Amino acid sequence: MGKILSQDEIDALLNSAATMDMGVPAPEGATAAGAITYNFRRPDRVTKEQIRSLHFLHDRFARNVATSLSAFLRSVTDISIVSVEQFAYSEFLMSLPDPTAFYAVHASPHDVLGALEVNPAIAFTMVDRLLGGSGQSTGLNRALTEIEQNVVDSAVKLVIDNLNESWRALVEVEFSIHGRETRPQMVSVAAPNEVVVLIVFDVRIGEARGMMNLCVPASLIEMAGASFAQTWHRTRKDPTVLDRQRLHAALARIPVDVSACLETEMAVRDVVDLRPGDVVSLGRSVSDPVRIRVGNTTKMAGRLVRHRGRAGVALTERFAPVRAQEGPETHALVGPQQ
């Protein structure tokens, strides 16, 4: 015998039908049955936190590259990050123009390949600037010649150097150019179904504008572990009183070198003639003040004394470092040491 619905279940069904008739929008990705579509051929291997970290990392990278290219090309260059998304490598290839400036990028020591694509509009502008032109958009629609590729290589190497510097803040990795082509399909970088992270940049050089795409394999981010889940890009909060107390207690246990400096001057010939048993006169009175250093920094002043049959220094003054705009570090008297 079939199950008989209770009155509460019947009311819930009626309310659900009324809600659907009123045209209430369903959640994004949800079907009429309430299920969310999931593509098993392209699983999400990179977490949202890692995507967010990659966005902040390459936002800084974009600013650094813009500064470097502006000086290298002698033209105002502006680069901004557009998006950070994960795709199958085949989808990334389908989104690229053909022909274009395509570079296979090797990441060591992990031994994986990524890709860097420079839109032809930007590539030809780089060539024009580096060969002495004005850098105006040429509008050419052809493959780069071998000579033109060699010219673009110099700018791409500058991009790779900045990429290494940015990634080094999170993980030890070294990017280098592994190969290049004008047709992306001719370079074997990854399997068609392999998941990659695509970072898209908007590049402006003078009046020319185009896109630059950086393709990073998801396996490289997985090898990096928790580094890309860090919240290093977030603003640090001010330390609390408890944090300051803990820091002070931790620093108080660190041993430091404390030394009293008794200095004098001697001629080189006198230094050469010194023998064991010789007495060196310091040329100063016992009552003269002695500077006391903590590490390599002068912190206090004192006077020579005898304490329990041993030589010592009695502290008399404490100094605070004062840095002038020009010249070496000086010290200001704070007051007598109690």
mmCIF file of all heavy atoms in Angstrom, residues 45-58 60 84 107 110 163-164 166-173 175 197 199 214 216-234:
data_model
loop_
_atom_site.group_PDB
_atom_site.id
_atom_site.type_symbol
_atom_site.label_atom_id
_atom_site.label_comp_id
_atom_site.label_asym_id
_atom_site.label_seq_id
_atom_site.Cartn_x
_atom_site.Cartn_y
_atom_site.Cartn_z
ATOM 1 N N ARG A 45 39.359 21.842 -9.466
ATOM 2 C CA ARG A 45 40.502 21.383 -8.676
ATOM 3 C C ARG A 45 41.145 22.497 -7.880
ATOM 4 O O ARG A 45 41.939 22.233 -6.982
ATOM 5 C CB ARG A 45 41.532 20.743 -9.606
ATOM 6 C CG ARG A 45 41.051 19.450 -10.245
ATOM 7 C CD ARG A 45 42.028 18.942 -11.269
ATOM 8 N NE ARG A 45 43.377 18.790 -10.751
ATOM 9 C CZ ARG A 45 44.413 18.372 -11.492
ATOM 10 N NH1 ARG A 45 44.218 18.065 -12.766
ATOM 11 N NH2 ARG A 45 45.606 18.263 -10.963
ATOM 12 N N VAL A 46 40.846 23.729 -8.197
ATOM 13 C CA VAL A 46 41.418 24.878 -7.497
ATOM 14 C C VAL A 46 40.322 25.529 -6.675
ATOM 15 O O VAL A 46 39.250 25.853 -7.187
ATOM 16 C CB VAL A 46 42.020 25.886 -8.489
ATOM 17 C CG1 VAL A 46 42.677 27.046 -7.744
ATOM 18 C CG2 VAL A 46 43.041 25.198 -9.394
ATOM 19 N N THR A 47 40.582 25.719 -5.385
ATOM 20 C CA THR A 47 39.576 26.265 -4.488
ATOM 21 C C THR A 47 39.395 27.763 -4.721
ATOM 22 O O THR A 47 40.239 28.426 -5.334
ATOM 23 C CB THR A 47 39.967 26.019 -3.032
ATOM 24 O OG1 THR A 47 41.177 26.756 -2.738
ATOM 25 C CG2 THR A 47 40.212 24.535 -2.776
ATOM 26 N N LYS A 48 38.280 28.282 -4.212
ATOM 27 C CA LYS A 48 38.014 29.716 -4.347
ATOM 28 C C LYS A 48 39.060 30.545 -3.609
ATOM 29 O O LYS A 48 39.426 31.638 -4.058
ATOM 30 C CB LYS A 48 36.616 30.032 -3.812
ATOM 31 C CG LYS A 48 35.486 29.446 -4.659
ATOM 32 C CD LYS A 48 34.121 29.849 -4.101
ATOM 33 C CE LYS A 48 33.001 29.295 -4.969
ATOM 34 N NZ LYS A 48 31.654 29.661 -4.444
ATOM 35 N N GLU A 49 39.535 30.035 -2.476
ATOM 36 C CA GLU A 49 40.559 30.761 -1.726
ATOM 37 C C GLU A 49 41.858 30.839 -2.528
ATOM 38 O O GLU A 49 42.532 31.871 -2.549
ATOM 39 C CB GLU A 49 40.802 30.065 -0.386
ATOM 40 C CG GLU A 49 41.742 30.817 0.553
ATOM 41 C CD GLU A 49 41.159 32.128 1.023
ATOM 42 O OE1 GLU A 49 39.919 32.261 1.063
ATOM 43 O OE2 GLU A 49 41.949 33.031 1.349
ATOM 44 N N GLN A 50 42.209 29.748 -3.212
ATOM 45 C CA GLN A 50 43.399 29.764 -4.046
ATOM 46 C C GLN A 50 43.222 30.688 -5.254
ATOM 47 O O GLN A 50 44.157 31.384 -5.647
ATOM 48 C CB GLN A 50 43.721 28.341 -4.510
ATOM 49 C CG GLN A 50 44.211 27.431 -3.389
ATOM 50 C CD GLN A 50 44.355 25.991 -3.831
ATOM 51 O OE1 GLN A 50 43.606 25.520 -4.686
ATOM 52 N NE2 GLN A 50 45.309 25.286 -3.259
ATOM 53 N N ILE A 51 42.024 30.704 -5.845
ATOM 54 C CA ILE A 51 41.741 31.629 -6.949
ATOM 55 C C ILE A 51 41.898 33.069 -6.480
ATOM 56 O O ILE A 51 42.480 33.916 -7.182
ATOM 57 C CB ILE A 51 40.315 31.386 -7.495
ATOM 58 C CG1 ILE A 51 40.236 30.031 -8.209
ATOM 59 C CG2 ILE A 51 39.897 32.506 -8.440
ATOM 60 C CD1 ILE A 51 40.997 29.959 -9.504
ATOM 61 N N ARG A 52 41.401 33.359 -5.294
ATOM 62 C CA ARG A 52 41.508 34.721 -4.758
ATOM 63 C C ARG A 52 42.969 35.102 -4.522
ATOM 64 O O ARG A 52 43.403 36.222 -4.817
ATOM 65 C CB ARG A 52 40.698 34.814 -3.463
ATOM 66 C CG ARG A 52 40.498 36.247 -2.965
ATOM 67 C CD ARG A 52 39.635 36.293 -1.718
ATOM 68 N NE ARG A 52 38.323 35.714 -1.962
ATOM 69 C CZ ARG A 52 37.907 34.574 -1.430
ATOM 70 N NH1 ARG A 52 38.688 33.889 -0.624
ATOM 71 N NH2 ARG A 52 36.689 34.109 -1.686
ATOM 72 N N SER A 53 43.752 34.163 -4.005
ATOM 73 C CA SER A 53 45.168 34.440 -3.787
ATOM 74 C C SER A 53 45.899 34.652 -5.102
ATOM 75 O O SER A 53 46.756 35.533 -5.217
ATOM 76 C CB SER A 53 45.810 33.290 -3.006
ATOM 77 O OG SER A 53 45.276 33.185 -1.709
ATOM 78 N N LEU A 54 45.556 33.843 -6.121
ATOM 79 C CA LEU A 54 46.162 34.031 -7.432
ATOM 80 C C LEU A 54 45.822 35.398 -8.023
ATOM 81 O O LEU A 54 46.650 36.029 -8.687
ATOM 82 C CB LEU A 54 45.692 32.924 -8.375
ATOM 83 C CG LEU A 54 46.333 31.548 -8.195
ATOM 84 C CD1 LEU A 54 45.576 30.503 -8.985
ATOM 85 C CD2 LEU A 54 47.796 31.577 -8.601
ATOM 86 N N HIS A 55 44.599 35.851 -7.783
ATOM 87 C CA HIS A 55 44.186 37.163 -8.301
ATOM 88 C C HIS A 55 45.027 38.271 -7.672
ATOM 89 O O HIS A 55 45.535 39.154 -8.385
ATOM 90 C CB HIS A 55 42.703 37.377 -8.012
ATOM 91 C CG HIS A 55 42.116 38.566 -8.714
ATOM 92 N ND1 HIS A 55 42.357 39.863 -8.303
ATOM 93 C CD2 HIS A 55 41.309 38.665 -9.817
ATOM 94 C CE1 HIS A 55 41.722 40.709 -9.096
ATOM 95 N NE2 HIS A 55 41.090 40.010 -10.023
ATOM 96 N N PHE A 56 45.201 38.242 -6.368
ATOM 97 C CA PHE A 56 45.989 39.280 -5.702
ATOM 98 C C PHE A 56 47.456 39.175 -6.102
ATOM 99 O O PHE A 56 48.141 40.191 -6.286
ATOM 100 C CB PHE A 56 45.845 39.158 -4.192
ATOM 101 C CG PHE A 56 44.604 39.810 -3.654
ATOM 102 C CD1 PHE A 56 43.423 39.103 -3.561
ATOM 103 C CD2 PHE A 56 44.610 41.130 -3.245
ATOM 104 C CE1 PHE A 56 42.266 39.696 -3.071
ATOM 105 C CE2 PHE A 56 43.470 41.739 -2.758
ATOM 106 C CZ PHE A 56 42.292 41.022 -2.669
ATOM 107 N N LEU A 57 47.968 37.946 -6.238
ATOM 108 C CA LEU A 57 49.362 37.762 -6.621
ATOM 109 C C LEU A 57 49.645 38.355 -7.990
ATOM 110 O O LEU A 57 50.625 39.089 -8.176
ATOM 111 C CB LEU A 57 49.685 36.259 -6.613
ATOM 112 C CG LEU A 57 51.060 35.858 -7.147
ATOM 113 C CD1 LEU A 57 52.147 36.323 -6.189
ATOM 114 C CD2 LEU A 57 51.137 34.365 -7.363
ATOM 115 N N HIS A 58 48.780 38.080 -8.965
ATOM 116 C CA HIS A 58 49.030 38.555 -10.318
ATOM 117 C C HIS A 58 48.584 39.997 -10.532
ATOM 118 O O HIS A 58 48.964 40.613 -11.527
ATOM 119 C CB HIS A 58 48.346 37.620 -11.325
ATOM 120 C CG HIS A 58 49.001 36.277 -11.392
ATOM 121 N ND1 HIS A 58 48.603 35.226 -10.599
ATOM 122 C CD2 HIS A 58 50.050 35.820 -12.126
ATOM 123 C CE1 HIS A 58 49.358 34.179 -10.868
ATOM 124 N NE2 HIS A 58 50.239 34.498 -11.778
ATOM 125 N N ARG A 60 49.565 42.282 -8.397
ATOM 126 C CA ARG A 60 50.867 42.898 -8.118
ATOM 127 C C ARG A 60 51.834 42.656 -9.274
ATOM 128 O O ARG A 60 52.607 43.542 -9.652
ATOM 129 C CB ARG A 60 51.437 42.336 -6.821
ATOM 130 C CG ARG A 60 52.752 42.979 -6.401
ATOM 131 C CD ARG A 60 53.224 42.451 -5.072
ATOM 132 N NE ARG A 60 53.498 41.015 -5.143
ATOM 133 C CZ ARG A 60 53.981 40.312 -4.130
ATOM 134 N NH1 ARG A 60 54.184 40.910 -2.960
ATOM 135 N NH2 ARG A 60 54.204 39.021 -4.252
ATOM 136 N N VAL A 84 40.484 35.490 -13.384
ATOM 137 C CA VAL A 84 41.220 34.275 -13.023
ATOM 138 C C VAL A 84 40.192 33.152 -12.956
ATOM 139 O O VAL A 84 39.338 33.139 -12.078
ATOM 140 C CB VAL A 84 41.956 34.416 -11.673
ATOM 141 C CG1 VAL A 84 42.697 33.128 -11.337
ATOM 142 C CG2 VAL A 84 42.914 35.593 -11.696
ATOM 143 N N ALA A 107 58.108 25.262 -15.653
ATOM 144 C CA ALA A 107 58.192 25.615 -14.233
ATOM 145 C C ALA A 107 59.045 24.572 -13.525
ATOM 146 O O ALA A 107 58.661 23.410 -13.421
ATOM 147 C CB ALA A 107 56.805 25.674 -13.602
ATOM 148 N N HIS A 110 59.350 21.674 -10.497
ATOM 149 C CA HIS A 110 58.184 20.795 -10.542
ATOM 150 C C HIS A 110 58.032 20.090 -11.891
ATOM 151 O O HIS A 110 57.224 19.174 -12.009
ATOM 152 C CB HIS A 110 56.921 21.591 -10.228
ATOM 153 C CG HIS A 110 56.973 22.279 -8.895
ATOM 154 N ND1 HIS A 110 56.918 21.604 -7.709
ATOM 155 C CD2 HIS A 110 57.087 23.595 -8.569
ATOM 156 C CE1 HIS A 110 56.981 22.455 -6.700
ATOM 157 N NE2 HIS A 110 57.093 23.668 -7.199
ATOM 158 N N LEU A 163 57.406 37.561 -13.387
ATOM 159 C CA LEU A 163 56.575 36.459 -12.919
ATOM 160 C C LEU A 163 57.305 35.645 -11.861
ATOM 161 O O LEU A 163 56.726 35.259 -10.839
ATOM 162 C CB LEU A 163 56.170 35.579 -14.104
ATOM 163 C CG LEU A 163 55.170 34.452 -13.820
ATOM 164 C CD1 LEU A 163 53.830 35.029 -13.386
ATOM 165 C CD2 LEU A 163 55.001 33.572 -15.048
ATOM 166 N N ASN A 164 58.585 35.379 -12.086
ATOM 167 C CA ASN A 164 59.379 34.657 -11.087
ATOM 168 C C ASN A 164 59.457 35.417 -9.774
ATOM 169 O O ASN A 164 59.328 34.838 -8.692
ATOM 170 C CB ASN A 164 60.795 34.422 -11.629
ATOM 171 C CG ASN A 164 60.833 33.368 -12.711
ATOM 172 O OD1 ASN A 164 60.043 32.432 -12.711
ATOM 173 N ND2 ASN A 164 61.743 33.510 -13.655
ATOM 174 N N SER A 166 57.321 37.564 -8.556
ATOM 175 C CA SER A 166 56.031 37.586 -7.871
ATOM 176 C C SER A 166 55.716 36.239 -7.226
ATOM 177 O O SER A 166 55.250 36.182 -6.087
ATOM 178 C CB SER A 166 54.921 37.968 -8.861
ATOM 179 O OG SER A 166 55.129 39.255 -9.398
ATOM 180 N N TRP A 167 55.975 35.141 -7.941
ATOM 181 C CA TRP A 167 55.665 33.818 -7.404
ATOM 182 C C TRP A 167 56.597 33.428 -6.272
ATOM 183 O O TRP A 167 56.238 32.642 -5.401
ATOM 184 C CB TRP A 167 55.746 32.775 -8.528
ATOM 185 C CG TRP A 167 54.481 32.659 -9.311
ATOM 186 C CD1 TRP A 167 53.891 33.624 -10.064
ATOM 187 C CD2 TRP A 167 53.642 31.510 -9.401
ATOM 188 N NE1 TRP A 167 52.754 33.167 -10.634
ATOM 189 C CE2 TRP A 167 52.563 31.854 -10.256
ATOM 190 C CE3 TRP A 167 53.694 30.229 -8.866
ATOM 191 C CZ2 TRP A 167 51.548 30.961 -10.559
ATOM 192 C CZ3 TRP A 167 52.689 29.331 -9.180
ATOM 193 C CH2 TRP A 167 51.629 29.698 -10.010
ATOM 194 N N ARG A 168 57.814 33.969 -6.282
ATOM 195 C CA ARG A 168 58.790 33.612 -5.261
ATOM 196 C C ARG A 168 58.332 34.027 -3.867
ATOM 197 O O ARG A 168 58.822 33.502 -2.858
ATOM 198 C CB ARG A 168 60.140 34.247 -5.592
ATOM 199 C CG ARG A 168 61.333 33.533 -4.963
ATOM 200 C CD ARG A 168 62.624 34.083 -5.523
ATOM 201 N NE ARG A 168 62.805 33.703 -6.912
ATOM 202 C CZ ARG A 168 63.046 34.574 -7.880
ATOM 203 N NH1 ARG A 168 63.101 35.865 -7.625
ATOM 204 N NH2 ARG A 168 63.216 34.159 -9.122
ATOM 205 N N ALA A 169 57.371 34.950 -3.780
ATOM 206 C CA ALA A 169 56.849 35.356 -2.470
ATOM 207 C C ALA A 169 56.046 34.242 -1.814
ATOM 208 O O ALA A 169 55.868 34.247 -0.587
ATOM 209 C CB ALA A 169 55.986 36.613 -2.617
ATOM 210 N N LEU A 170 55.542 33.288 -2.602
ATOM 211 C CA LEU A 170 54.717 32.213 -2.056
ATOM 212 C C LEU A 170 55.368 30.847 -2.162
ATOM 213 O O LEU A 170 55.243 30.024 -1.258
ATOM 214 C CB LEU A 170 53.357 32.174 -2.767
ATOM 215 C CG LEU A 170 52.380 33.297 -2.446
ATOM 216 C CD1 LEU A 170 51.068 33.060 -3.166
ATOM 217 C CD2 LEU A 170 52.130 33.388 -0.951
ATOM 218 N N VAL A 171 56.029 30.564 -3.268
ATOM 219 C CA VAL A 171 56.543 29.217 -3.491
ATOM 220 C C VAL A 171 57.816 29.319 -4.330
ATOM 221 O O VAL A 171 57.969 30.222 -5.150
ATOM 222 C CB VAL A 171 55.483 28.343 -4.207
ATOM 223 C CG1 VAL A 171 55.112 28.910 -5.554
ATOM 224 C CG2 VAL A 171 55.944 26.898 -4.339
ATOM 225 N N GLU A 172 58.741 28.387 -4.079
ATOM 226 C CA GLU A 172 59.987 28.347 -4.837
ATOM 227 C C GLU A 172 59.719 27.727 -6.213
ATOM 228 O O GLU A 172 59.526 26.518 -6.336
ATOM 229 C CB GLU A 172 61.045 27.539 -4.083
ATOM 230 C CG GLU A 172 61.648 28.262 -2.892
ATOM 231 C CD GLU A 172 62.419 29.512 -3.295
ATOM 232 O OE1 GLU A 172 62.975 29.516 -4.410
ATOM 233 O OE2 GLU A 172 62.440 30.469 -2.504
ATOM 234 N N VAL A 173 59.691 28.551 -7.229
ATOM 235 C CA VAL A 173 59.473 28.082 -8.589
ATOM 236 C C VAL A 173 60.211 29.018 -9.536
ATOM 237 O O VAL A 173 60.344 30.219 -9.267
ATOM 238 C CB VAL A 173 57.959 28.023 -8.924
ATOM 239 C CG1 VAL A 173 57.351 29.407 -8.902
ATOM 240 C CG2 VAL A 173 57.722 27.345 -10.264
ATOM 241 N N PHE A 175 60.302 30.030 -13.578
ATOM 242 C CA PHE A 175 59.716 29.917 -14.904
ATOM 243 C C PHE A 175 60.767 30.253 -15.965
ATOM 244 O O PHE A 175 61.606 31.136 -15.766
ATOM 245 C CB PHE A 175 58.521 30.856 -15.054
ATOM 246 C CG PHE A 175 57.348 30.512 -14.184
ATOM 247 C CD1 PHE A 175 57.128 31.173 -12.993
ATOM 248 C CD2 PHE A 175 56.464 29.510 -14.557
ATOM 249 C CE1 PHE A 175 56.050 30.868 -12.198
ATOM 250 C CE2 PHE A 175 55.379 29.186 -13.762
ATOM 251 C CZ PHE A 175 55.174 29.861 -12.575
ATOM 252 N N VAL A 197 44.519 26.905 -14.942
ATOM 253 C CA VAL A 197 44.013 28.198 -14.462
ATOM 254 C C VAL A 197 44.432 29.254 -15.468
ATOM 255 O O VAL A 197 45.621 29.399 -15.776
ATOM 256 C CB VAL A 197 44.564 28.530 -13.062
ATOM 257 C CG1 VAL A 197 44.112 29.923 -12.633
ATOM 258 C CG2 VAL A 197 44.103 27.490 -12.052
ATOM 259 N N ILE A 199 44.726 33.114 -16.449
ATOM 260 C CA ILE A 199 44.797 34.476 -15.915
ATOM 261 C C ILE A 199 44.889 35.423 -17.102
ATOM 262 O O ILE A 199 45.840 35.359 -17.888
ATOM 263 C CB ILE A 199 46.006 34.645 -14.981
ATOM 264 C CG1 ILE A 199 45.939 33.606 -13.853
ATOM 265 C CG2 ILE A 199 46.047 36.042 -14.387
ATOM 266 C CD1 ILE A 199 47.253 33.047 -13.480
ATOM 267 N N LEU A 214 47.898 34.110 -19.439
ATOM 268 C CA LEU A 214 48.839 33.243 -18.735
ATOM 269 C C LEU A 214 48.091 31.993 -18.305
ATOM 270 O O LEU A 214 47.080 32.069 -17.595
ATOM 271 C CB LEU A 214 49.432 33.956 -17.516
ATOM 272 C CG LEU A 214 50.351 33.127 -16.623
ATOM 273 C CD1 LEU A 214 51.589 32.692 -17.401
ATOM 274 C CD2 LEU A 214 50.749 33.919 -15.385
ATOM 275 N N VAL A 216 48.300 28.495 -16.269
ATOM 276 C CA VAL A 216 49.045 27.784 -15.232
ATOM 277 C C VAL A 216 48.359 26.450 -14.966
ATOM 278 O O VAL A 216 47.149 26.425 -14.697
ATOM 279 C CB VAL A 216 49.111 28.616 -13.933
ATOM 280 C CG1 VAL A 216 49.886 27.869 -12.860
ATOM 281 C CG2 VAL A 216 49.734 29.973 -14.197
ATOM 282 N N PRO A 217 49.055 25.322 -15.051
ATOM 283 C CA PRO A 217 48.404 24.030 -14.774
ATOM 284 C C PRO A 217 47.966 23.933 -13.326
ATOM 285 O O PRO A 217 48.666 24.390 -12.413
ATOM 286 C CB PRO A 217 49.494 23.009 -15.106
ATOM 287 C CG PRO A 217 50.778 23.758 -15.023
ATOM 288 C CD PRO A 217 50.469 25.174 -15.418
ATOM 289 N N ALA A 218 46.786 23.348 -13.114
ATOM 290 C CA ALA A 218 46.278 23.194 -11.748
ATOM 291 C C ALA A 218 47.189 22.312 -10.919
ATOM 292 O O ALA A 218 47.270 22.469 -9.686
ATOM 293 C CB ALA A 218 44.867 22.615 -11.789
ATOM 294 N N SER A 219 47.919 21.393 -11.571
ATOM 295 C CA SER A 219 48.826 20.513 -10.832
ATOM 296 C C SER A 219 49.940 21.307 -10.166
ATOM 297 O O SER A 219 50.410 20.938 -9.082
ATOM 298 C CB SER A 219 49.429 19.475 -11.780
ATOM 299 O OG SER A 219 50.105 20.114 -12.860
ATOM 300 N N LEU A 220 50.371 22.423 -10.759
ATOM 301 C CA LEU A 220 51.412 23.244 -10.144
ATOM 302 C C LEU A 220 50.907 23.877 -8.856
ATOM 303 O O LEU A 220 51.619 23.943 -7.855
ATOM 304 C CB LEU A 220 51.864 24.327 -11.125
ATOM 305 C CG LEU A 220 52.901 25.331 -10.595
ATOM 306 C CD1 LEU A 220 54.173 24.613 -10.179
ATOM 307 C CD2 LEU A 220 53.209 26.388 -11.643
ATOM 308 N N ILE A 221 49.656 24.326 -8.869
ATOM 309 C CA ILE A 221 49.080 24.923 -7.667
ATOM 310 C C ILE A 221 48.879 23.860 -6.594
ATOM 311 O O ILE A 221 49.073 24.114 -5.399
ATOM 312 C CB ILE A 221 47.761 25.630 -8.013
ATOM 313 C CG1 ILE A 221 48.020 26.716 -9.063
ATOM 314 C CG2 ILE A 221 47.111 26.227 -6.778
ATOM 315 C CD1 ILE A 221 46.783 27.367 -9.591
ATOM 316 N N GLU A 222 48.511 22.649 -7.005
ATOM 317 C CA GLU A 222 48.359 21.564 -6.036
ATOM 318 C C GLU A 222 49.704 21.181 -5.431
ATOM 319 O O GLU A 222 49.796 20.869 -4.244
ATOM 320 C CB GLU A 222 47.722 20.355 -6.711
ATOM 321 C CG GLU A 222 46.267 20.584 -7.113
ATOM 322 C CD GLU A 222 45.704 19.417 -7.905
ATOM 323 O OE1 GLU A 222 46.508 18.563 -8.344
ATOM 324 O OE2 GLU A 222 44.471 19.362 -8.082
ATOM 325 N N MET A 223 50.770 21.204 -6.226
ATOM 326 C CA MET A 223 52.101 20.914 -5.699
ATOM 327 C C MET A 223 52.539 21.964 -4.680
ATOM 328 O O MET A 223 53.277 21.658 -3.740
ATOM 329 C CB MET A 223 53.124 20.858 -6.834
ATOM 330 C CG MET A 223 52.954 19.696 -7.782
ATOM 331 S SD MET A 223 54.130 19.784 -9.158
ATOM 332 C CE MET A 223 53.548 18.464 -10.201
ATOM 333 N N ALA A 224 52.085 23.199 -4.881
ATOM 334 C CA ALA A 224 52.459 24.269 -3.958
ATOM 335 C C ALA A 224 51.783 24.101 -2.604
ATOM 336 O O ALA A 224 52.170 24.751 -1.635
ATOM 337 C CB ALA A 224 52.112 25.628 -4.561
ATOM 338 N N GLY A 225 50.761 23.254 -2.544
ATOM 339 C CA GLY A 225 50.109 22.985 -1.264
ATOM 340 C C GLY A 225 49.304 24.155 -0.771
ATOM 341 O O GLY A 225 48.550 24.782 -1.517
ATOM 342 N N ALA A 226 49.467 24.457 0.521
ATOM 343 C CA ALA A 226 48.643 25.483 1.170
ATOM 344 C C ALA A 226 49.138 26.891 0.917
ATOM 345 O O ALA A 226 48.551 27.843 1.421
ATOM 346 C CB ALA A 226 48.587 25.225 2.674
ATOM 347 N N SER A 227 50.222 27.048 0.131
ATOM 348 C CA SER A 227 50.773 28.388 -0.077
ATOM 349 C C SER A 227 49.769 29.324 -0.716
ATOM 350 O O SER A 227 49.681 30.501 -0.372
ATOM 351 C CB SER A 227 52.031 28.306 -0.949
ATOM 352 O OG SER A 227 53.024 27.536 -0.321
ATOM 353 N N PHE A 228 48.967 28.785 -1.675
ATOM 354 C CA PHE A 228 48.019 29.638 -2.376
ATOM 355 C C PHE A 228 46.708 29.797 -1.614
ATOM 356 O O PHE A 228 45.804 30.460 -2.092
ATOM 357 C CB PHE A 228 47.747 29.080 -3.765
ATOM 358 C CG PHE A 228 48.851 29.369 -4.719
ATOM 359 C CD1 PHE A 228 49.823 28.420 -4.966
ATOM 360 C CD2 PHE A 228 48.948 30.591 -5.338
ATOM 361 C CE1 PHE A 228 50.856 28.682 -5.841
ATOM 362 C CE2 PHE A 228 49.974 30.861 -6.213
ATOM 363 C CZ PHE A 228 50.931 29.899 -6.465
ATOM 364 N N ALA A 229 46.601 29.180 -0.449
ATOM 365 C CA ALA A 229 45.413 29.397 0.386
ATOM 366 C C ALA A 229 45.694 30.401 1.478
ATOM 367 O O ALA A 229 44.869 30.640 2.345
ATOM 368 C CB ALA A 229 44.954 28.078 1.001
ATOM 369 N N GLN A 230 46.886 30.990 1.454
ATOM 370 C CA GLN A 230 47.238 31.959 2.476
ATOM 371 C C GLN A 230 46.435 33.242 2.297
ATOM 372 O O GLN A 230 45.964 33.557 1.215
ATOM 373 C CB GLN A 230 48.737 32.289 2.416
ATOM 374 C CG GLN A 230 49.627 31.097 2.725
ATOM 375 C CD GLN A 230 51.088 31.458 2.558
ATOM 376 O OE1 GLN A 230 51.407 32.583 2.179
ATOM 377 N NE2 GLN A 230 51.963 30.526 2.845
ATOM 378 N N THR A 231 46.313 33.946 3.355
ATOM 379 C CA THR A 231 45.621 35.243 3.320
ATOM 380 C C THR A 231 46.643 36.363 3.410
ATOM 381 O O THR A 231 46.435 37.357 4.101
ATOM 382 C CB THR A 231 44.612 35.348 4.482
ATOM 383 O OG1 THR A 231 45.295 35.098 5.729
ATOM 384 C CG2 THR A 231 43.500 34.332 4.330
ATOM 385 N N TRP A 232 47.779 36.180 2.706
ATOM 386 C CA TRP A 232 48.852 37.176 2.794
ATOM 387 C C TRP A 232 48.444 38.502 2.186
ATOM 388 O O TRP A 232 49.005 39.544 2.512
ATOM 389 C CB TRP A 232 50.078 36.650 2.053
ATOM 390 C CG TRP A 232 49.806 36.324 0.629
ATOM 391 C CD1 TRP A 232 49.361 35.139 0.121
ATOM 392 C CD2 TRP A 232 49.942 37.196 -0.495
ATOM 393 N NE1 TRP A 232 49.223 35.214 -1.233
ATOM 394 C CE2 TRP A 232 49.575 36.454 -1.648
ATOM 395 C CE3 TRP A 232 50.357 38.519 -0.645
ATOM 396 C CZ2 TRP A 232 49.602 36.999 -2.907
ATOM 397 C CZ3 TRP A 232 50.369 39.062 -1.903
ATOM 398 C CH2 TRP A 232 50.005 38.307 -3.020
ATOM 399 N N HIS A 233 47.461 38.501 1.313
ATOM 400 C CA HIS A 233 47.064 39.735 0.647
ATOM 401 C C HIS A 233 46.137 40.582 1.494
ATOM 402 O O HIS A 233 45.851 41.717 1.155
ATOM 403 C CB HIS A 233 46.372 39.390 -0.671
ATOM 404 C CG HIS A 233 45.242 38.415 -0.500
ATOM 405 N ND1 HIS A 233 45.426 37.050 -0.598
ATOM 406 C CD2 HIS A 233 43.940 38.607 -0.205
ATOM 407 C CE1 HIS A 233 44.261 36.449 -0.409
ATOM 408 N NE2 HIS A 233 43.362 37.368 -0.164
ATOM 409 N N ARG A 234 45.637 40.030 2.580
ATOM 410 C CA ARG A 234 44.705 40.786 3.403
ATOM 411 C C ARG A 234 45.440 41.769 4.299
ATOM 412 O O ARG A 234 46.592 41.579 4.646
ATOM 413 C CB ARG A 234 43.881 39.825 4.259
ATOM 414 C CG ARG A 234 43.007 38.875 3.425
ATOM 415 C CD ARG A 234 42.236 37.930 4.303
ATOM 416 N NE ARG A 234 41.423 37.016 3.504
ATOM 417 C CZ ARG A 234 40.738 36.010 4.007
ATOM 418 N NH1 ARG A 234 40.764 35.771 5.304
ATOM 419 N NH2 ARG A 234 40.033 35.220 3.216
#
